[in-house]
Amino acid sequence: MIRNIGKFLKNTFPFLSVLVLWHLSVQFWNPAGILALIPIFYYSFIKPTDWFTLYAVIFCFLIDYKFDTLLFWTSFYCLFNAVNGFQSFVDLTKQKSEGVMVFMAYFATSSLILVLADWSFIIMVRAFWLVLWSSVLYVPFVALAKRINND
């Protein structure tokens, strides 16, 4: 019985983590469920999971809907996924520290584009906060994911 529960949790954790983080949106800590990009990034690029890409695209679209950005996160995810798929120079699955630097670059670049599209000091500070906050939360999420997957 416990083995079945563990197997179920191991198989559904990538999908449930995105759903929970997207649903738990709070204006300051998780605006529009943006922290759902942590498991989306991890399970798409660092530890690829079967059937996760379509799920990630759907939730990027839902983040766009809540964040009121017209297909920005969806197109940025698809662009990054395409670049990652066509290149063979960098293997994201073998990055140091489970790809935290790559995630920081991914999230910071996308946030910078959003700041430049609608410049104000408050938006810049908020984007800086979100990059810092999501980068800090990436590490415990990866630790939890590795513990659940027994890696």
Side-chain angles (χ1 to χ4, degrees):
M1 176 73 174
I2 292 178
R3 197 174 291 196
N4 290 338
I5 293 172
K7 185 177 179 183
F8 175 78
L9 184 61
K10 183 178 178 180
N11 291 334
T12 60
F13 181 73
F15 302 97
L16 291 176
S17 63
V18 172
L19 180 65
V20 168
L21 283 172
W22 176 78
H23 185 66
L24 294 177
S25 61
V26 178
Q27 185 62 27
F28 183 73
W29 300 104
N30 187 12
I34 197 80
L35 292 180
L37 290 175
I38 295 171
I40 287 173
F41 182 86
Y42 181 72
Y43 286 112
S44 293
F45 304 115
I46 305 302
K47 189 172 183 203
T49 304
D50 294 335
W51 297 99
F52 194 77
T53 303
L54 178 62
Y55 190 77
V57 168
I58 291 168
F59 270 90
C60 284
F61 178 76
L62 291 173
I63 290 170
D64 280 327
Y65 178 74
K66 273 186 160 180
F67 216 88
D68 202 22
T69 53
L70 185 62
L71 295 177
F72 176 76
W73 293 105
T74 307
S75 59
F76 199 77
Y77 171 80
C78 290
L79 176 69
F80 194 81
N81 198 8
V83 168
N84 184 47
F86 284 122
Q87 61 87 26
S88 61
F89 183 69
V90 178
D91 185 11
L92 292 181
T93 61
K94 293 182 172 61
Q95 290 294 310
K96 292 180 184 176
S97 303
E98 299 298 325
V100 69
M101 296 303 240
V102 179
F103 175 75
M104 288 171 62
Y106 171 80
F107 200 79
T109 303
S110 58
S111 296
L112 179 65
I113 292 169
L114 283 175
V115 166
L116 293 176
D118 189 24
W119 169 256
S120 79
F121 183 73
I122 297 298
I123 291 175
M124 182 188 70
V125 169
R126 188 172 181 198
F128 183 71
W129 159 251
L130 282 175
V131 169
L132 281 173
W133 181 238
S134 63
S135 299
V136 165
L137 290 180
Y138 185 83
V139 175
F141 175 81
V142 168
L144 177 65
K146 287 174 82 173
R147 179 138 175 115
I148 287 175
N149 290 324
N150 297 326
D151 290 343

